[in-house]
Amino acid sequence: MSTPQKRKGSAWELAIAKYLVDKGWKFAERRLAGSMIDKGDIYGIIGCVIEAKNEKRIDLAGYLKELETEIANAKAATGVVMLKKRGTTDVGEAYAVMPIRRWVELMKEAGY
């Protein structure tokens, strides 16, 4: 049996995947743990790594370091950390965190 923390994390990953499917990314899925090479928690959006975090204590520096490793492992173009916001289960109200340089790349790619 998994620990309460693992169950909490798994539930958050599933909620993110469902939210993304509902928003049009129909192939978004939770990546099952077990691979020796971590490529993020959610896949199905080509070129993008999603790392999901549902923790009481937030470690942005650690999360962003982990994200960069996962982007490299997945050979992805970009990535984001999705942090659960305390007090709500609404995925749309959670936090999306990435280094500013990655945000600049996305904005340029979007035509801004």
Side-chain angles (χ1 to χ4, degrees):
M1 180 177 272
S2 66
T3 66
Q5 292 84 1
K6 285 191 185 272
R7 285 192 298 273
K8 184 173 74 168
S10 295
W12 178 235
E13 292 166 6
L14 288 169
I16 291 170
K18 181 185 181 317
Y19 180 86
L20 293 173
V21 167
D22 291 347
K23 296 299 179 188
W25 285 279
K26 63 182 181 178
F27 300 112
E29 289 186 37
R30 176 177 173 248
R31 189 183 302 274
L32 296 178
S35 174
M36 291 179 61
I37 300 174
D38 193 354
K39 296 180 181 179
D41 295 320
I42 309 293
Y43 71 100
I45 300 174
I46 295 172
C48 183
V49 167
I50 298 172
E51 178 63 23
K53 295 294 182 186
N54 182 2
E55 299 176 343
K56 193 175 216 174
R57 185 183 156 280
I58 295 175
D59 175 17
L60 287 180
Y63 300 160
L64 293 175
K65 183 177 179 183
E66 181 179 359
L67 178 66
E68 292 301 323
T69 299
E70 293 169 352
I71 289 170
N73 289 345
K75 298 178 178 68
T78 195
V80 62
V81 178
M82 295 188 176
L83 300 164
K84 185 176 183 305
K85 180 179 178 181
R86 299 287 140 238
T88 183
T89 58
D90 183 349
V91 176
E93 292 300 313
Y95 307 110
V97 179
M98 64 177 44
I100 289 174
R101 67 180 169 76
R102 291 214 176 267
W103 178 83
V104 168
E105 291 167 0
L106 285 177
M107 295 301 286
K108 286 183 176 180
E109 185 69 25
Y112 291 95

